[in-house]
């Protein structure tokens, strides 16, 4: 199943290291079939606030995303970003084409009933 590397980047500082990181990151992604899906800004914030920018990188699966992150090639350039940009990075499974949020609701409803000791409605 497709997986993603999601970064919420805040407090960015323009620095020559960031340019080096940007020039080198694609070479770390290529062996893992990683590709940028979003490399923000700009973003249109329609609810709440969004301090910073978003990056979304697609991988064939979560195992491959982890292998990329742990790879010597990526670890070699990671500090170029982390020394100058504060943020969070998550690796997360995507959902398949048949995903239905109603199934998620039913699962949550069933779990809630178990937690309270009552049967689901």
């Amino acid at each position: 199943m497709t997986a993603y590397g999601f970064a919420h980047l805040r407090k960015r500082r323009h620095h020559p290291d960031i340019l080096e990181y940007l020039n080198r990151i694609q070479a770390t992604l290529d062996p893992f079939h990683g590709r940028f899906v979003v490399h923000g800004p700009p973003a249109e914030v329609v609810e709440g606030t969004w301090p910073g920018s978003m990056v979304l990188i697609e991988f064939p699966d979560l195992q491959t995303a982890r292998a990329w992150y742990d790879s010597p090639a990526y670890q070699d350039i990671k500090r170029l970003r982390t020394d100058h940009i504060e943020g969070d990075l998550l690796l997360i499974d995507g959902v398949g084409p048949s995903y239905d949020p109603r199934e998620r609701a039913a699962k949550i409803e069933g779990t809630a009933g178990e937690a309270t000791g009552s049967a689901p409605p």
Side-chain angles (χ1 to χ4, degrees):
M1 177 178 303
T2 303
Y4 299 92
F6 168 78
H8 177 202
L9 306 177
R10 301 175 303 280
K11 295 185 181 179
R12 299 172 299 167
R13 292 186 308 144
H14 295 289
H15 189 278
D17 286 353
I18 298 301
L19 294 175
E20 182 179 348
Y21 177 86
L22 291 171
N23 282 312
R24 293 176 59 189
I25 189 170
Q26 190 60 51
T28 72
L29 292 168
D30 287 342
F32 300 95
H33 307 284
R35 71 174 191 90
F36 281 89
V37 177
V38 174
H39 201 182
E44 181 180 345
V45 179
V46 296
E47 291 185 23
T49 61
W50 185 260
S53 63
M54 174 182 164
V55 176
L56 187 65
I57 301 173
E58 182 181 76
F59 293 93
D61 53 50
L62 193 55
Q63 181 179 354
T64 303
R66 284 187 190 121
W68 162 75
Y69 184 80
D70 293 336
S71 71
Y74 185 68
Q75 290 300 308
D76 186 49
I77 69 166
K78 184 174 80 167
R79 69 157 186 80
L80 298 171
R81 174 184 53 82
T82 60
D83 285 354
H84 306 286
I85 299 176
E86 179 183 310
D88 305 303
L89 177 67
L90 297 86
L91 300 178
I92 188 167
D93 268 325
V95 296
S98 62
Y99 175 76
D100 186 337
R102 293 172 294 189
E103 292 174 16
R104 175 75 160 233
K107 183 176 181 180
I108 292 169
E109 186 177 58
T111 303
E114 292 170 14
T116 62
S118 62

